[in-house]
Each structure stands twice: as C-alpha cells, then as structure tokens.
Amino acid sequence: MTERPRLVATDLDGTLLASDGTVSERTGAAWARLPELGIESVLVTARPPRWIDPLSAIVGKHGMAICTNGAFVYDVANHRVVEQHGMPREVVLRLAIRLRERFPDVGLATECADGMYREPVYPDPHQEQLDMPFQPIEELPEHVVVGKLLAARPGPIDPEFVATVTEVVGADGEVAFSGVGALAEISAAGVTKGAALQRWAAELGIDAADVWAFGDMPNDLPMLRWAGRSYAVANAHPDVAAAATHRTASNDDDGVAQVLEQL
C-alpha cells in the first residue's frame, strides 16, 4: 500500500461537508491542492445530480461527480448525466409490489436522471420542495432511468426498517442507508459506491492500493472496503468505524483536510 495516493475519493454529507452542508475554508483549500500534488480526486455521494450543482467548485478539473450511490456520473458544468447504471423497469415495479405488501404505510419515490418522481404518501425526509408532480411508480414515463428506488416511512432513523427492506429486496438490488430518517435507498444489483469508484479508478489506470477513501455511513462501506486505505470520520456510523483502516477527526473538525494536509 502506498504512503501517497494517486486518487482520493470522498463522501460528501457527514464526511467532507460540515453539518450545515457547506465546505469549510480549510477543507476547500486542502481538497483544491490535490491537483497541484498530482493526485486525482472524485466525489462519491448518495446525493442526486441536482444536489451537486452548488458544490461545483470542488468537483475538480474533470468536472464530474459520482452520484446517487454510483448510479450516475454527472457532468456538473453542463448539468448532464453522462453515465447511467439504472434499475430495470420490471424490477422497480416488482419491488414496489413487495414493499407495499410488507409495509402498508411505505411511501415510494425514484431518483432518475431527470429528477425525482414521488408518490403522494412518500414522507420525504429531506423535505425537499420539488416542482415535479406526484407520480405513481406504475405510471413512471417509459424513458426515465431509475437510479434509486426510495422506500420511506414516517418517523426517525429506523435501522430495523432498512434491514427488513434488505430482506425484501434480496438479490434484486442493493440496499443502502445514508443516515436519514426511516429511508432505504435501493439501487440496481451490483450498483454501489465501491463499484462506481472501481470503474473510475480503472479508467485512470489506478489500482485499489493507490486509492484513499473517506466516509461516514453504511452506504460508504463498499467504497471503503475496496480502497487501499480507508478513513472513517469521528462522527461515523459504528459499522464504518469498524471497517475503515484508519480514523480521522469529524466532518465539523475538518477531518478530511487534516489527513490531506499531511501530503
């Protein structure tokens, strides 16, 4: 394992970003110096593409971000999804039936390349105001590519709900938890942050041993386990802290910057 990475990858919320969703001056400066050091960088986030636009200053010269837990690669400057790894429509509809049978109060939504489609009963934990009309899953337009199927129930964080959704989904998808409410995020089988980061590194000719990755929540685990060196911030979920090879300070204490400044 190298003592100097060729590629640094990081999650955003709870990791690179402060708790208020901003990039601190210290973290921004440390991240911006990576190209000067000859080190590649990439953001790997559960955020949908539209939530990356305000962070365009930190996406790097390549202008791309890996979004939606690996389902989309987003060209920030041109507001365009350039790579898609979506769920087959028949799988989305099959999972919707199974989830409603298991959880009568579940609300469903989809994150697609052109935005979110959600049902009226979907209890959006982000309380995002969208212009898109409510759309039953069964009536999704044929052209849309579903990056994530979101299943949510009202209430606080509910690990048991996420665990049961994982059982219901089975081999039909990948279930991730990013630390928000009673929300399970379902991607196509094989689509994870780890798989997306591996593809990104392969295109650059970079091996896992030369990659450092930072994260805080269980949806980061595939990425952290693949990277040669992984860092859990101090505020990380216990499963992440246990899996990472290294630790750093919390997101609000510029944990990522503290590591990068040593380079």
Side-chain angles (χ1 to χ4, degrees):
M1 185 184 300
T2 182
E3 290 302 316
R4 183 183 179 89
R6 294 182 60 198
L7 169 64
V8 176
T10 185
D11 169 57
L12 285 174
D13 296 282
T15 304
L16 189 75
L17 305 184
S19 294
D20 63 1
T22 62
V23 183
S24 75
E25 183 175 347
R26 179 180 181 183
T27 292
W31 191 256
R33 273 210 73 199
L34 290 176
E36 300 173 23
L37 301 172
I39 298 172
E40 297 282 351
S41 64
V42 65
L43 307 178
V44 188
T45 177
R47 287 187 174 212
R50 65 183 178 279
W51 288 5
I52 303 298
D53 292 335
L55 302 171
S56 59
I58 61 169
V59 295
K61 289 185 178 180
H62 53 71
M64 305 289 181
I66 298 173
C67 303
T68 325
N69 286 334
F72 300 130
V73 176
Y74 182 54
D75 179 344
V76 181
N78 295 300
H79 309 289
R80 185 169 62 95
V81 171
V82 296
E83 189 174 319
Q84 303 180 116
H85 302 275
M87 302 178 68
R89 185 182 182 85
E90 62 271 18
V91 173
V92 173
L93 299 179
R94 183 165 66 241
L95 290 178
I97 293 171
R98 297 207 308 243
L99 289 167
R100 291 183 186 125
E101 288 177 347
R102 182 63 180 82
F103 303 102
D105 63 341
V106 74
L108 302 176
T110 58
E111 284 290 359
C112 305
D114 61 347
M116 172 185 269
Y117 295 83
R118 54 182 177 164
E119 298 181 333
V121 294
Y122 178 69
D124 188 356
H126 297 290
Q127 299 183 338
E128 185 181 11
Q129 300 299 315
L130 295 173
D131 294 331
M132 282 193 170
F134 292 120
Q135 187 85 47
I137 297 299
E138 289 77 8
E139 297 179 13
L140 282 175
E142 291 285 345
H143 72 277
V144 303
V145 175
V146 176
K148 284 194 301 190
L149 174 64
L150 306 176
R153 301 171 77 187
I157 289 175
D158 188 351
E160 185 176 340
F161 169 68
V162 178
T164 306
V165 169
T166 302
E167 295 176 4
V168 171
V169 171
D172 278 336
E174 306 286 346
V175 179
F177 176 61
S178 57
V180 181
L183 173 65
E185 305 176 20
I186 307 163
S187 303
V191 175
T192 66
K193 287 188 175 187
L197 179 58
Q198 184 174 0
R199 283 194 303 272
W200 184 273
E203 291 177 3
L204 295 172
I206 296 175
D207 295 330
D210 296 317
V211 178
W212 291 9
F214 295 81
D216 74 312
M217 292 304 295
N219 64 322
D220 296 318
L221 286 170
M223 171 174 71
L224 299 177
R225 288 172 174 153
W226 178 80
R229 180 178 292 195
S230 55
Y231 286 87
V233 287
N235 52 292
H237 187 282
D239 291 350
V240 173
T245 61
H246 292 71
R247 310 284 187 275
T248 187
S250 74
N251 61 324
D252 287 326
D253 290 325
D254 297 294
V256 175
Q258 289 190 36
V259 174
L260 299 183
E261 287 166 353
Q262 296 175 34
L263 296 171

